[in-house]
Amino acid sequence: MGTDRYAYLSRLRQVDPVAKTVLSTSAGAVCLLCGGLAPGLGTLLVMGILTTVWGKIPGRVFVRFLGIPITFLLLGCVTIAVGIYDGNTGGVWGLSLGSQVLGVTPASVHQALCVIAKSLGVISAVYFLTLNTPMTDLTGGLRRMHVPMLLIELMDLIYRFIFVLTETAGKIRTAQDSRLGYQGGFRSLSSLGTLSSMVFLRAWKKADNVYAALESRGYTGTLLTVSEEYRPGNLCYGLIPLVWGTQMLCLLLEGKVFG
Amino acid sequence: MKRSLTNVYFLMALACLLPLQTHAMHIGEGMLPAGWSIAWGVVCAPFIIYGFLNIQKRIHATPKVKILLAMCGAFAFVLSALKIPSVTGSCSHPTGVGLAAILFGPGITSVLGLIVLVFQALLLAHGGITTLGANTFSMAIAGPIVSWLVFRGLKKTNVSTAVSVFFAAALGDLATYVVTSIQLGVVYGGFGKFLAVFALTQVPLAIAEGLLTVVIFNILEKYSKSELKELAVV
């Protein structure tokens, strides 16, 4: 599902998840702190190269995943760029409403572009982690970082159940759709309601069965599994200064050009 | 003449963006500055800790609750991935905020919501890790609390269950996006601007989600009285 499918094929799959998490979060955090157009695009470039060349994730997959958050990024950024300005503001362009203008100014467009670039930078840093680390390895890594046990266990269980329920929901949806269940607004709503409640009921029954199965195998309240053997992630730690250097360089360059 | 032409171009440019409304309620990765990301995380912490202790206590009493809650979390994730038809012809995704709050109460919903948001951010790139605190506060804390209060309040006044479920879900939905607008508004200025954009797209969705929740709740009430009773204990 989603990024997880590709994470299993990544060349970096066997690398220590903690190291990958540290690299990804430090790149994302510095990108967020720098802000601005160039550091965002710089982070996007570096993390994109790391994911596609080092992790061997196909480039088109990376680009396709970048496209997913674009829709709500754009919606948010249009709201930032468009505003109501006084008619005399320099460079304002848009819909005139008497003395006021509903539109954009060069400054507001620049701000919106900066936010888009920054977001893309952080997103690429997160994708480096998620496209190279399967979720089960990630929760194992979180366990080693001392996140509360109960939270991790809930995450593990939820992750496993997601696939079961998605399959159930997909099958019901196909069945409803083939009987014209999604023709028109109200019929769709009622079909969707039936689907959701049936998935809920099945989830409940399934939980009963899972618990019975666990209990009959001596379940005492925790599900512990042996963690996998990983390759040490020294290279990941070594790459952090490189990523930071690129981001700082971008920040300096941007300051030269616009400053 | 030139001015009206500009106006036409501007409106056309805006019209192109109308279909972009799926998942508008999540704040995307990197949209908030570092300070605000941390601040919202800190605001969430007491609610999450309360919910976490609450869950721990219940699991201690009945171990089966853990599996049930995990199933409910997975259900919330799957529900949020379904497409819901909206009046304007476009479609969006239900948040499940109201349903979860009515079924589990706001404490447990906050923890399950947090986990679901983590999965949405990592697996589907909806929302984000840096904006996790802000999204958790709007979708897993503020919205559910409003829903729960509305549901409890209306139940006391002898309104039919369907009506209270509808208002709980719809108002919880609205509360979520009002909070999201505030979160974006304090950073970028113009809180009203964000509210106006979301109001156009979200009011029909809130109504659709309210109706959907009523349909779900009716069926659950009909076929699974015992589970609902058990949930009141959970």
Side-chain angles (χ1 to χ4, degrees):
Chain A
M1 176 174 300
T3 53
D4 218 39
R5 232 177 78 204
Y6 296 96
Y8 282 97
L9 305 173
S10 158
R11 197 163 61 157
L12 301 179
R13 210 216 128 167
Q14 301 298 329
V15 175
D16 185 9
V18 176
K20 282 184 282 188
T21 312
V22 171
L23 173 58
S24 156
T25 45
S26 51
V30 172
C31 174
L32 199 62
L33 285 173
C34 289
L37 209 56
L41 295 178
T43 316
L44 174 64
L45 193 68
V46 174
M47 297 319 274
I49 288 174
L50 283 182
T51 312
T52 49
V53 178
W54 195 27
K56 282 256 158 77
I57 298 293
R60 62 188 160 75
V61 172
F62 187 72
V63 172
R64 206 183 70 215
F65 273 105
L66 275 182
I68 299 171
I70 281 284
T71 47
F72 50 161
L73 249 181
L74 282 180
L75 190 72
C77 289
V78 165
T79 329
I80 293 169
V82 178
I84 294 176
Y85 300 96
D86 192 56
N88 303 322
T89 321
V92 66
W93 180 81
L95 186 65
S96 37
L97 312 159
S99 63
Q100 308 270 301
V101 174
L102 173 74
V104 296
T105 63
S108 70
V109 171
H110 182 247
Q111 193 193 10
L113 286 178
C114 282
V115 173
I116 292 183
K118 191 174 72 174
S119 293
L120 284 178
V122 180
I123 289 166
S124 64
V126 173
Y127 275 154
F128 169 75
L129 180 66
T130 53
L131 282 173
N132 290 309
T133 323
M135 193 54 77
T136 43
D137 290 5
L138 208 59
T139 49
L142 287 178
R143 180 172 297 158
R144 273 163 54 207
M145 288 189 261
H146 301 288
V147 174
M149 199 54 199
L150 176 61
L151 204 62
I152 306 250
E153 224 178 306
L154 275 178
M155 279 180 80
D156 269 336
L157 285 171
I158 289 177
Y159 177 68
R160 276 171 208 286
F161 293 152
I162 280 173
F163 293 92
V164 181
L165 296 189
T166 307
E167 201 193 338
T168 313
K171 276 184 183 158
I172 297 179
R173 187 161 190 131
T174 310
Q176 288 178 324
D177 214 0
S178 63
R179 290 165 182 78
L180 305 179
Y182 288 95
Q183 304 288 314
F186 271 97
R187 193 181 290 176
S188 304
L189 265 186
S190 97
S191 298
L192 200 61
T194 324
L195 183 149
S196 313
S197 40
M198 282 308 131
V199 172
F200 181 80
L201 288 182
R202 294 209 183 159
W204 197 268
K205 295 255 147 58
K206 212 153 247 161
D208 264 343
N209 292 345
V210 167
Y211 187 70
L214 279 172
E215 214 174 23
S216 62
R217 287 162 180 78
Y219 176 71
T220 52
T222 41
L223 284 170
L224 279 174
T225 48
V226 181
S227 76
E228 275 189 58
E229 294 275 318
Y230 296 111
R231 275 188 281 146
N234 295 335
L235 196 52
C236 279
Y237 296 118
L239 278 168
I240 293 176
L242 186 80
V243 176
W244 282 354
T246 316
Q247 288 166 327
M248 291 300 150
L249 200 68
C250 289
L251 192 66
L252 284 178
L253 276 178
E254 191 179 18
K256 277 241 168 70
V257 175
F258 288 101
Chain B
M1 178 63 201
K2 190 166 174 256
R3 199 175 215 193
S4 64
L5 209 61
T6 319
N7 287 357
V8 169
Y9 283 140
F10 188 74
L11 282 178
M12 270 160 63
L14 275 187
C16 292
L17 292 155
L18 273 181
L20 301 175
Q21 47 175 278
T22 47
H23 284 275
M25 294 232 264
H26 292 71
I27 300 178
E29 191 86 86
M31 286 278 284
L32 294 180
W36 281 108
S37 305
I38 297 169
W40 285 115
V42 172
V43 171
C44 289
F47 295 95
I48 298 292
I49 292 171
Y50 168 76
F52 192 73
L53 293 178
N54 202 342
I55 291 181
Q56 222 162 22
K57 204 169 70 194
R58 278 165 191 188
I59 289 177
H60 199 70
T62 28
K64 194 173 133 188
V65 170
K66 193 191 282 177
I67 310 288
L68 286 179
L69 285 180
M71 269 301 176
C72 294
F75 170 71
F77 180 91
V78 172
L79 187 71
S80 69
L82 294 172
K83 284 201 175 81
I84 174 173
S86 168
V87 187
T88 48
S90 63
C91 55
S92 182
H93 303 256
T95 54
V97 164
L99 187 65
I102 295 167
L103 292 180
F104 319 125
I108 290 175
T109 304
S110 66
V111 178
L112 290 184
L114 172 72
I115 298 177
V116 169
L117 284 169
V118 168
F119 281 140
Q120 285 179 337
L122 292 181
L123 291 173
L124 308 176
H126 295 152
I129 293 302
T130 56
T131 50
L132 189 61
N135 284 331
T136 306
F137 187 76
S138 67
M139 307 187 82
I141 294 171
I145 287 179
V146 169
S147 286
W148 191 73
L149 288 178
V150 168
F151 184 70
R152 284 289 141 123
L154 285 179
K155 276 235 104 172
K156 281 212 182 94
T157 54
N158 273 337
V159 184
S160 76
T161 315
V163 174
S164 31
V165 167
F166 174 79
F167 280 107
L171 291 177
D173 224 41
L174 290 179
T176 300
Y177 90 82
V178 169
V179 171
T180 309
S181 309
I182 294 173
Q183 285 169 333
L184 286 170
V186 290
V187 176
Y188 297 107
F191 149 69
K193 205 163 67 175
F194 286 100
L195 203 59
V197 166
F198 286 158
L200 274 179
T201 58
Q202 294 295 331
V203 169
L205 288 178
I207 294 170
E209 169 136 18
L211 290 174
L212 177 69
T213 313
V214 172
V215 175
I216 297 176
F217 207 80
N218 278 345
I219 299 173
L220 286 181
E221 217 177 19
K222 206 151 132 200
Y223 293 108
S224 53
K225 266 261 153 67
S226 62
E227 277 88 354
L228 286 185
K229 283 218 179 84
E230 212 174 320
L231 261 181
V233 184
V234 160

